[in-house]
Amino acid sequence: MVEIDLDGKKVEVAEGSMVMHAAEKAGTYIPHFCYHKKLSIAANCRMCLVEVEKAPKPLPACATPVTQGMVVRTKSERALKAQQGVMEFLLINHPLDCPICDQGGECQLQDLAVGYGATSSRYSEEKRVVFHKNVGPLISMEEMSRCIHCTRCVRFGQEIAGQMELGMAHRGEHSEIQTFVGRSVDSELSGNMIDICPVGALTSKPFRYSARTWELARRKSVSPHDSTGANLIVQVKNGKVLRVVPLENEDVNECWIADRDRFSYEALNSEDRLTSPMIKQGGGWKTVDWATALDYVASGLKQIKGAHGASSIAALASEHSTVEELHLLAKLARGIGSENIDTALRQTDSGLRAAEGKAHWLGRSIASLSQLDSAFIVGSFLRKDHPLLAQRLRQAARRGAQIVGLHAVEEDWLMPVSARITAVPSQWWQQLANVAAAVAQRTGVQAPAAGEATEAAQALAEALLGGEQKAVLLGNAVLHHPQAAALHALAAWIAEHTGATVGFFGEAANSVGAQLVQARPGAKGQSAAQVLSSDSAKALLLLNCDPVLDSANAAAASRALHAAELVVVMSPFKSGLDYADVLLPIAPFTEGSGSFINAEGRLQSFVGVAKALGETRPGWKVLRVLGNLLELDGFAFDSSDQVRAAALGHEDLAPRLSNAPAQAVAAQEWSVQGLERLAAVPIYAADALVRRSAALQQTRDGREAAHVQLPPAVWNQLGLGEGGMVRVSQEGAGEVVLSARLDTTLAANVVRVNAALPETSALGPMFGAINVAKA
């Protein structure tokens, strides 16, 4: 530790720290623009000049290392004069257009100009003009004349997002921040550039000119999208959500959020919102009151139970639903007498189940991902499935961690990857067995399955055997895989014998919570895959989901839904109009209270931030009333807090988190002849909110989600060129015609056709044989 004198106070900081770090520790504010605690030091704004004893001139606090006994003055006449001089230079070319600037009210330049700026300028020359740039649907660069060249956005792209999408061109007064050769900004974390811009150069395009910051009411919330559970501040004007920004939580999302957390709010105000209960009559939809709709549902369930038995009723829900909603849905189904309750809609291997009362989880804290020495990532579309967890791993890789992976595609994770195995999905189990054999060879233990310690397998084993902090992490593609339980068992063995933790990234905001509240089929119940692959379900209760888009087999789900006698859709949106019989408008996360449990097992509760739209009601209240109409016990709740207490109790959740495999490692046989399908869930198709966000759908990820990606051999065999179209089909399902793209990173014989899209909803299983022909 080094002790310095800062404005007459003794401050101790670690050796190698900067004066700025000492000031932060002492609670002393030094004005700055380019410095940001999460980014590297650039020292190019010079606003943080301070007086250091024996130094011939003021020095930048952000880039001056502390030394023992150093004496620093941040408020001396010399320091203040230097800071005022820098401010004068910054304002020479600034357009001073505060009355029309979206940053007004939360602008660092505006704030500091009050304290360090002069009342008038000594310069009368014309100000420079920088022409606007169009960099996509999310970030506005309309007023780049405001840019003060702090380069925060450039460093964010390089260091946090992992790709340098913005850079500085030209020199001197001609310097400009711009993209490369007119490209757009396409990172899944790009919106954070808006937050860290200290002036109004980068602003939110969807929010542009919507409101002033002081007109907005601010409320804390939690992201309903991926398993990170990012903390949010939702900003509301006149009962309407207009902006979402990050709430800093160092243990969860630091000070970042993904673009889908930031911009999915557009769906809340879309024309697709369901605002009143509706019943289908004579092929048309009729708006009714709540009493009529709920009586219709209750009587329909009673009739179907009487005619076909309780086992003919199934309840399916999205894991984007809250703990409270899922608890009451499961309680309702079991109260009727049905064990057909499930939230793992895309999971086809029913053997992948945590022990009774337990839940699969990340296996470690989210924050610890940044400190890993090695990580083995199996079956994950990492950047698009979990943008903020990918960012954590990117920080570990920057520190020197060895990242290795197994997948059917060599996606660019925007971080150094030490070793990869790229194989068709039907070979994943064998490839894991090979890694296990390499681990067994290195450690002198008996291998759990027949495998060959190939060169690639040895490279992965070597990475995992080195270092102290290490993890084997299973992605969404493992959850959806037909051999999910077997892959988990092998991964757990590898983790155990390399000293690593094993864990699941988790598919949605409440994947852990869904398991803890028993929203899974009972011993005599059917899983979602079983319910949707047959016509056994005569009544279906659907909560926050559209099984055609959210299940493992879209074509089979469509058949099952159309064959059912009663389909009740509980959703904030007009969903399932072609197969539903009743639509019940339930509140999205911004209009009701609830809780999510993220990948690390952290329970986070939130309250509604905006008034419910129309006749919308919180999902837990709808289920409570439905339970009372069905005369079921245990539905007397007055608040979501009471429901949460009944669902989880008041115990610590940690003892209920377990990744112990449900089965021993056993030989697995699953082969596919010919081409195999690989299906990702695109980042902006993962849930009902992002699907209805216009800005997100206009991004490159949104526009290109429905392309078929082909490996070189198949591309050449079909004789395709740029803009080529292909006819795609699967046995037992329909066929679709889609545009094709060449993807040299795919394993041979793998065809990537994404799921969760209307364009691909006629197709069958997410894994298995697929046929492709030139259209």
Side-chain angles (χ1 to χ4, degrees):
M1 300 293 284
V2 174
E3 184 179 81
I4 71 168
D5 181 311
L6 185 82
D7 291 339
K9 289 192 292 186
K10 300 295 183 186
V11 183
E12 264 198 345
V13 288
E15 192 173 349
S17 298
M18 302 296 159
V19 170
M20 184 71 84
H21 301 142
E24 285 180 342
K25 187 173 181 181
T28 299
Y29 179 73
I30 299 176
H32 60 272
F33 293 113
C34 68
Y35 171 77
H36 190 282
K37 63 183 178 181
K38 293 290 181 182
L39 303 176
S40 63
I41 291 167
N44 54 7
C45 79
R46 318 308 278 187
M47 191 65 210
C48 64
L49 291 174
V50 293
E51 183 180 358
V52 178
E53 194 176 80
K54 297 180 182 176
K57 59 182 180 179
L59 299 175
C62 68
T64 303
V66 294
T67 58
Q68 183 63 37
M70 175 186 275
V71 178
V72 180
R73 297 287 175 263
T74 68
K75 302 289 189 291
S76 68
E77 184 181 350
R78 193 177 180 204
L80 289 174
K81 192 172 181 181
Q83 292 163 3
Q84 289 164 355
V86 170
M87 177 58 71
E88 184 174 18
F89 278 121
L90 287 173
L91 294 178
I92 286 173
N93 274 313
H94 200 77
L96 304 181
D97 58 348
C98 302
I100 64 155
C101 179
D102 262 355
Q103 197 84 350
E106 50 189 17
C107 172
Q108 277 182 261
L109 184 66
Q110 193 178 56
D111 293 343
L112 292 178
V114 173
Y116 299 91
T119 54
S120 60
S121 175
R122 291 186 285 169
Y123 292 84
S124 57
E125 291 81 4
E126 287 187 5
K127 294 176 182 284
R128 79 177 197 142
V129 174
V130 180
F131 292 112
H132 71 270
K133 286 94 176 165
N134 183 7
V135 294
L138 305 182
I139 299 177
S140 171
M141 294 180 76
E142 290 291 316
E143 284 90 15
M144 288 307 292
S145 297
R146 300 172 184 159
C147 178
I148 61 170
H149 304 145
C150 70
T151 68
R152 280 186 179 184
C153 55
V154 178
R155 286 174 285 144
F156 171 84
Q158 287 176 299
E159 298 162 19
I160 307 298
Q163 55 189 142
M164 187 176 172
E165 294 182 291
L166 293 177
M168 190 180 293
H170 314 306
R171 300 183 68 184
E173 69 168 4
H174 302 293
S175 299
E176 290 185 32
I177 298 290
Q178 59 186 42
T179 58
F180 291 98
V181 203
R183 292 183 188 171
S184 56
V185 173
D186 298 306
S187 165
E188 59 279 0
L189 298 172
S190 66
N192 293 292
M193 294 179 184
I194 299 167
D195 291 334
I196 62 175
C197 180
V199 295
L202 304 182
T203 54
S204 168
K205 196 171 275 190
F207 174 68
R208 188 171 163 79
Y209 298 148
S210 297
R212 284 303 199 178
T213 180
W214 53 84
E215 298 175 312
L216 299 169
R218 291 161 169 76
R219 301 287 185 273
K220 295 178 183 179
S221 193
V222 180
S223 167
H225 302 299
D226 62 39
S227 62
T228 308
N231 289 202
L232 311 175
I233 294 176
V234 181
Q235 301 183 350
V236 181
K237 179 183 177 183
N238 297 332
K240 187 176 179 181
V241 176
L242 292 184
R243 187 164 67 157
V244 176
V245 295
L247 172 63
E248 186 169 347
N249 186 332
E250 199 62 30
D251 293 331
V252 182
N253 55 300
E254 300 174 89
C255 54
W256 317 119
I257 54 174
D259 286 351
R260 63 179 166 194
D261 302 325
R262 185 184 302 273
F263 296 108
S264 65
Y265 74 86
E266 283 194 306
L268 302 171
N269 310 316
S270 72
E271 294 180 0
D272 209 21
R273 278 296 300 270
L274 178 65
T275 56
S276 299
M278 301 177 79
I279 295 176
K280 188 182 282 183
Q281 290 185 343
W285 286 99
K286 179 184 177 184
T287 299
V288 297
D289 58 41
W290 270 106
T292 303
L294 291 173
D295 282 338
Y296 183 93
V297 173
S299 61
L301 290 172
K302 288 175 182 175
Q303 288 175 15
I304 286 172
K305 180 181 177 181
H308 303 287
S311 61
S312 66
I313 299 171
L316 305 179
S318 159
E319 290 176 351
H320 300 281
S321 307
T322 65
V323 164
E324 294 79 2
E325 290 169 337
L326 295 178
H327 170 69
L328 289 181
L329 183 68
K331 193 176 182 71
L332 181 77
R334 293 190 168 101
I336 294 171
S338 173
E339 288 289 342
N340 305 328
I341 163 75
D342 204 0
T343 60
L345 305 186
R346 296 191 180 97
Q347 188 176 312
T348 55
D349 184 357
S350 56
L352 185 68
R353 284 281 296 273
E356 193 71 24
K358 306 270 187 185
H360 290 149
W361 66 302
L362 187 62
R364 55 172 52 245
S365 70
I366 287 174
S368 71
L369 294 178
S370 305
Q371 306 303 319
L372 288 174
D373 296 314
S374 57
F376 180 19
I377 299 166
V378 185
S380 177
F381 301 96
L382 185 60
R383 279 176 52 205
K384 306 304 180 183
D385 287 346
H386 305 96
L388 293 172
L389 300 187
Q391 187 274 132
R392 291 275 191 181
L393 290 166
R394 194 168 295 124
Q395 301 314 308
R398 284 171 60 85
R399 289 177 46 256
Q402 293 201 66
I403 309 295
V404 295
L406 166 62
H407 209 318
V409 60
E410 289 187 19
E411 283 197 313
D412 185 2
W413 292 338
L414 302 178
M415 66 182 85
V417 177
S418 304
R420 288 184 194 263
I421 294 177
T422 308
V424 293
S426 61
Q427 280 295 307
W428 286 3
W429 186 87
Q430 187 56 57
Q431 294 297 337
L432 270 187
N434 292 348
V435 176
V439 170
Q441 189 180 86
R442 291 284 304 275
T443 57
V445 299
Q446 179 70 37
E452 180 186 350
T454 62
E455 188 176 332
Q458 287 180 24
L460 266 65
E462 188 174 334
L464 271 179
L465 287 164
E468 296 296 323
Q469 295 291 321
K470 37 202 172 182
V472 178
L473 299 164
L474 307 180
N476 292 356
V478 172
L479 294 174
H480 307 156
H481 197 280
Q483 296 173 303
L487 293 173
H488 175 210
L490 259 180
W493 187 95
I494 293 168
E496 180 187 353
H497 289 84
T498 56
T501 58
V502 65
F504 294 83
F505 281 120
E507 191 169 2
N510 203 26
S511 296
V512 174
Q515 299 171 75
L516 290 178
V517 301
Q518 306 293 306
R520 290 285 191 271
K524 295 181 180 178
Q526 290 187 316
S527 67
Q530 293 167 327
V531 167
L532 296 173
S533 62
S534 67
D535 57 0
S536 60
K538 303 303 178 186
L540 282 160
L541 297 173
L542 305 180
L543 175 66
N544 278 323
C545 69
D546 179 350
V548 175
L549 298 179
D550 295 328
S551 69
N553 188 326
S558 181
R559 289 193 293 267
L561 290 163
H562 284 94
E565 296 176 17
L566 175 67
V567 178
V568 180
V569 171
M570 292 173 273
S571 171
F573 303 101
K574 295 170 185 173
S575 173
L577 295 175
D578 59 331
Y579 58 72
D581 298 292
V582 186
L583 299 179
L584 303 177
I586 64 169
F589 79 109
T590 53
E591 295 170 22
S593 57
S595 308
F596 296 131
I597 301 176
N598 71 358
E600 66 178 359
R602 181 186 296 260
L603 175 66
Q604 300 186 110
S605 298
F606 55 90
V607 296
V609 300
K611 185 181 177 182
L613 200 61
E615 293 297 309
T616 298
R617 297 290 182 269
W620 70 267
K621 287 188 177 181
V622 174
L623 291 163
R624 177 195 64 184
V625 175
L626 199 50
N628 291 331
L629 289 173
L630 291 167
E631 300 174 348
L632 304 178
D633 293 332
F635 281 82
F637 298 108
D638 295 322
S639 69
S640 61
D641 291 342
Q642 292 178 359
V643 183
R644 182 176 66 251
L648 299 172
H650 299 286
E651 306 167 34
D652 180 14
L653 296 182
R656 300 188 230 175
L657 306 175
S658 170
N659 289 323
Q663 64 181 53
V665 177
Q668 293 288 311
E669 289 188 13
W670 176 55
S671 60
V672 178
Q673 300 300 316
L675 301 178
E676 293 189 33
R677 182 181 180 185
L678 174 69
V681 176
I683 185 170
Y684 302 136
D687 60 67
L689 282 168
V690 293
R691 288 173 193 146
R692 292 169 173 84
S693 169
L696 293 178
Q697 294 307 318
Q698 290 163 16
T699 62
R700 188 174 70 181
D701 281 319
R703 296 191 315 269
E704 298 182 358
H707 293 324
V708 176
Q709 287 163 267
L710 302 172
V714 178
W715 179 269
N716 294 332
Q717 182 184 338
L718 296 177
L720 292 167
E722 188 174 345
M725 305 292 287
V726 292
R727 192 178 304 278
V728 182
S729 62
Q730 287 178 280
E731 189 176 348
E735 65 176 29
V736 295
V737 176
L738 300 168
S739 62
R741 295 287 186 275
L742 173 65
D743 188 345
T744 57
T745 68
L746 282 168
N749 288 343
V750 170
V751 176
R752 179 168 172 174
V753 186
N754 289 333
L757 299 169
E759 295 91 335
T760 61
S761 60
L763 297 177
M766 293 174 69
F767 289 92
I770 191 167
N771 303 305
V772 181
K774 189 173 183 179

